[in-house]
């Protein structure tokens, strides 16, 4: 396991924070620092067709070592870290033989990772944990996934007795700001399907995610002297507050779980004359997703009607932009690719945790681009903050799952599964 620890630490100590305000790809040039390192490492372990393009997408091939024709599969992870919390000067701490108690992340600032609050820690008694030092995130999202893919490819190269077909890998930029799949060349990648190694705790296997939209709303106001404002002033900040209060109570991230959707206010900034509000809409069900968008438009129309005479034009300007959709629609027709991952986990003694993603991954975008792409655990917890940690044993298990999927792909008769899919499609017609 030391090999995994050393590899992971070498990745997370490179700052790759992405920037949502940048118009370039990658959004930050420093992402090339890790991307170029990965290129060198892929070549060093014996991968072929190693490429990096001008946008920092890294691709490579592990050639088939069998004579029979089997599907080409892929594994994908992203190397950027979220701009929500700093990823600069990451100094990982290694906790061996975790005893189930509090972990002091930073003594000077009294920052403690405690199972009293993060109960999942108790799942990993006796294991080796990698944590932050309390001042940065860790970057297991998704440098754990990169570590696992790289280690699995190295293992397969070193163990040619394990039979497998052609395998493609890709490491991408800017996933954390929703642009990781923007310039992904699916045709060049050339896989029949792929898996993102971008989930959380051990056992996670996901092929459903939110339908997602972003909303930007501008509220207009009128500023006059407050002493003489009656019937004249329109305070855009108060209008924005009233707008938020029109949204359904109890349908926020902190009050929902599972398949429940939500409205989430992410930014509010304003003055009397102009206020800008940003929120996101999420729902697994497409019908409910559309209803949520329609609700925002209905509230907008209501406010504009209310102030039409006083203001003379629309006081609320709303723009709704779809961001991604539920990959379930694209994965269910090839459900055998999920079954394959589930079989791999079970054969390794891992209990599959099949559940919907309360978010999105590159995989959901890629699925709509023609590359069905379920999501598999990478092992980390508490992403995007100072309490992030990853058990090394979970990363090793993820490596084992990748290897087993490769092995099973080489020995599974997919012709019957594709034939079964075809019969189902004909029935629908």
């Amino acid at each position: 396991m030391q090999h995994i620890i050393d590899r992971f630490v070498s990745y997370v100590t490179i700052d790759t924070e992405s920037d949502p305000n940048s118009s370039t790809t990658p959004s930050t040039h420093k992402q090339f620092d890790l991307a170029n390192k990965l290129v060198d490492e892929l070549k060093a372990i014996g991968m072929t067709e190693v490429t990096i393009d001008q946008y920092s997408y890294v691709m490579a091939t592990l050639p088939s070592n069998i004579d029979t024709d089997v599907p080409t599969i892929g594994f994908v992870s992203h190397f950027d870290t979220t701009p929500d919390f700093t990823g600069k000067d990451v100094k990982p701490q290694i906790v061996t033989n975790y005893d189930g108690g509090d972990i002091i992340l930073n003594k000077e600032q009294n920052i403690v990772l405690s199972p009293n609050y993060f109960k999942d820690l108790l799942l990993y008694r006796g294991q080796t944990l990698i944590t932050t030092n309390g001042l940065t995130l860790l970057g297991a999202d998704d440098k754990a996934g990169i570590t696992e893919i790289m280690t699995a490819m190295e293992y397969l190269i070193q163990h040619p007795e394990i039979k497998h077909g052609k395998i493609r890998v890709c490491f991408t930029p800017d996933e954390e700001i929703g642009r990781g799949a923007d310039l992904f060349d699916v045709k060049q990648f050339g896989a029949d399907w792929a898996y993102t190694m971008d989930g959380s705790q051990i056992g996670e296997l996901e092929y459903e995610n939110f339908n997602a939209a972003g909303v930007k709303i501008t509220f207009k106001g009128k500023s006059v002297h407050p002493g003489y404002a009656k019937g004249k002033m329109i305070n855009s900040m108060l209008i924005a507050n009233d707008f938020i209060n029109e949204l359904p109570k109890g349908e926020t991230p902190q009050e929902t779980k599972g398949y429940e959707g939500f409205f989430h206010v992410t930014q509010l900034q304003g003055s009397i004359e102009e206020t800008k509000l940003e929120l996101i809409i999420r729902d697994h069900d497409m019908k409910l997703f559309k209803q949520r968008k329609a609700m925002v438009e209905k509230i907008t129309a209501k406010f504009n009607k209310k102030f039409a005479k006083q203001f003379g034009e629309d006081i609320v300007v709303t723009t709704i932009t779809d961001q991604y959709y539920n990959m379930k629609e694209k994965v269910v027709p090839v459900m055998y690719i999920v079954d394959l991952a589930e079989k791999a986990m079970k054969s390794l003694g891992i209990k599959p945790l099949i559940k919907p993603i309360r978010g999105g991954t590159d995989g959901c975008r890629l699925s709509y681009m023609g590359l069905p792409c379920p999501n598999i655990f990478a092992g980390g917890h508490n992403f995007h903050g100072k309490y992030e940690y990853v058990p090394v044993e979970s990363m090793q298990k993820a490596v084992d799952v990748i290897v087993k999927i490769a092995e099973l792909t080489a020995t599974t008769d997919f012709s019957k599964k594709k034939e079964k899919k075809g019969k189902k499609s004909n029935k629908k017609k």
Side-chain angles (χ1 to χ4, degrees):
M1 289 199 303
Q2 189 60 47
H3 188 46
I4 287 178
I5 294 172
D6 293 343
R7 174 169 275 150
F8 177 71
V9 169
S10 76
Y11 297 161
V12 299
T13 49
I14 298 174
D15 179 12
T16 56
E17 184 177 316
S18 48
D19 179 5
N21 298 313
S22 168
S23 59
T24 64
T25 301
S27 62
T28 51
H29 193 268
K30 59 189 174 183
Q31 292 182 58
F32 270 110
D33 295 342
L34 180 52
N36 287 322
K37 173 182 170 63
L38 295 174
V39 167
D40 293 341
E41 196 168 333
L42 286 163
K43 291 176 180 178
I45 67 173
M47 296 288 281
T48 66
E49 299 176 323
V50 181
T51 62
I52 181 170
D53 65 16
Q54 61 183 311
Y55 306 112
S56 76
Y57 288 78
V58 176
M59 294 188 183
T61 298
L62 178 61
S64 172
N65 64 1
I66 56 177
D67 296 329
T68 53
D69 185 22
V70 299
T72 297
I73 61 172
F75 295 93
V76 180
S77 287
H78 64 91
F79 45 72
D80 69 310
T81 60
T82 180
D84 295 344
F85 202 86
T86 183
K88 184 180 180 181
D89 296 325
V90 174
K91 294 180 172 60
Q93 299 186 123
I94 314 298
V95 180
T96 58
N97 194 24
Y98 172 57
D99 63 6
D102 289 352
I103 299 172
I104 307 299
L105 299 179
N106 191 288
K107 187 175 181 180
E108 291 75 18
Q109 298 190 26
N110 193 31
I111 300 172
V112 179
L113 178 62
S114 174
N116 293 329
Y117 191 84
F118 300 106
K119 298 187 185 304
D120 286 341
L121 275 166
L122 298 177
L123 297 171
Y124 306 110
R125 276 197 181 100
Q127 297 190 23
T128 298
L129 308 183
I130 304 179
T131 75
T132 74
N133 69 344
L135 303 179
T136 70
L137 51 67
L138 180 61
D141 181 14
D142 189 26
K143 292 169 186 176
I146 295 175
T147 300
E148 293 149 9
I149 293 170
M150 190 74 77
T151 304
M153 295 304 105
E154 184 177 39
Y155 186 83
L156 287 168
I157 290 168
Q158 293 174 349
H159 293 81
E161 71 277 8
I162 300 174
K163 302 305 176 185
H164 58 82
K166 182 179 178 180
I167 301 172
R168 292 281 281 162
V169 303
C170 183
F171 304 129
T172 69
D174 292 336
E175 190 270 355
E176 294 292 1
I177 56 173
R179 296 176 355 211
D182 281 6
L183 299 173
F184 191 110
D185 192 331
V186 171
K187 185 176 180 180
Q188 180 190 349
F189 192 56
D192 292 283
W193 70 82
Y195 302 93
T196 48
M197 302 299 297
D198 196 16
S200 184
Q201 80 177 80
I202 184 170
E204 284 188 353
L205 174 57
E206 302 156 323
Y207 65 93
E208 300 178 72
N209 60 274
F210 278 136
N211 296 293
V215 184
K216 294 185 177 182
I217 309 175
T218 300
F219 299 87
K220 302 174 185 178
K222 287 184 177 179
S223 180
V224 297
H225 190 289
Y228 306 95
K230 185 171 177 64
K232 299 174 184 177
M233 178 185 285
I234 299 177
N235 191 325
S236 72
M237 292 182 287
L238 296 180
I239 305 301
N241 184 65
D242 290 342
F243 191 102
I244 293 170
N245 286 331
E246 289 278 334
L247 297 172
K249 301 295 182 289
E251 296 187 16
T252 61
Q254 63 267 34
E255 298 172 282
T256 54
K257 62 181 181 179
Y259 285 96
E260 296 170 340
F262 57 74
F263 298 92
H264 178 37
V265 175
T266 58
Q267 190 169 23
L268 180 64
Q269 185 175 15
S271 62
I272 292 171
E273 291 208 329
E274 183 178 88
T275 295
K276 293 185 180 293
L277 168 68
E278 293 187 18
L279 59 94
I280 60 174
I281 297 172
R282 299 289 188 266
D283 211 296
H284 286 90
D285 183 276
M286 179 58 77
K287 183 179 178 180
L288 295 177
F289 176 61
K290 290 179 178 179
Q291 288 176 358
R292 290 183 183 280
K293 292 190 291 181
M295 180 181 292
V296 171
E297 291 171 340
K298 185 177 179 180
I299 298 171
T300 299
K302 175 183 175 180
F303 276 68
N304 284 331
K305 183 178 180 180
K306 178 180 178 180
F307 290 94
K309 288 184 180 179
Q310 186 178 357
F311 202 79
E313 61 178 303
D314 285 348
I315 195 171
V316 183
V317 179
T318 297
T319 303
I320 301 176
T321 305
D322 285 357
Q323 296 169 318
Y324 52 82
Y325 303 110
N326 192 342
M327 76 170 91
K328 180 180 179 180
E329 181 180 334
K330 301 298 181 182
V331 174
V332 166
V334 289
M335 194 63 184
Y336 54 84
I337 71 176
V338 177
D339 297 338
L340 188 75
E342 183 179 6
K343 183 178 180 181
M345 289 185 193
K346 287 180 176 177
S347 71
L348 295 166
I350 300 169
K351 181 181 178 181
L353 303 174
I354 302 176
K355 60 183 185 59
I357 307 171
R358 288 185 60 79
T361 68
D362 278 346
C364 64
R365 294 269 316 279
L366 293 172
S367 293
Y368 279 85
M369 292 164 65
L371 181 68
C373 201
N375 191 43
I376 293 174
F377 71 92
H381 288 259
N382 305 338
F383 294 149
H384 297 193
K386 60 190 173 186
Y387 298 108
E388 186 180 2
Y389 70 93
V390 61
V392 178
E393 287 82 353
S394 294
M395 285 198 285
Q396 179 60 62
K397 285 293 186 181
V399 172
D400 297 341
V401 169
I402 294 171
V403 170
K404 182 57 70 173
I405 287 174
E407 188 177 5
L408 290 174
T409 303
T411 56
T412 301
D413 184 358
F414 290 99
S415 62
K416 292 181 180 178
K417 297 179 184 297
K418 291 176 181 178
E419 183 182 334
K420 187 177 180 182
K421 173 197 163 188
K423 286 180 180 178
K424 284 183 179 179
S425 299
N426 292 331
K427 256 186 183 181
K428 287 180 182 177
K429 293 177 183 177

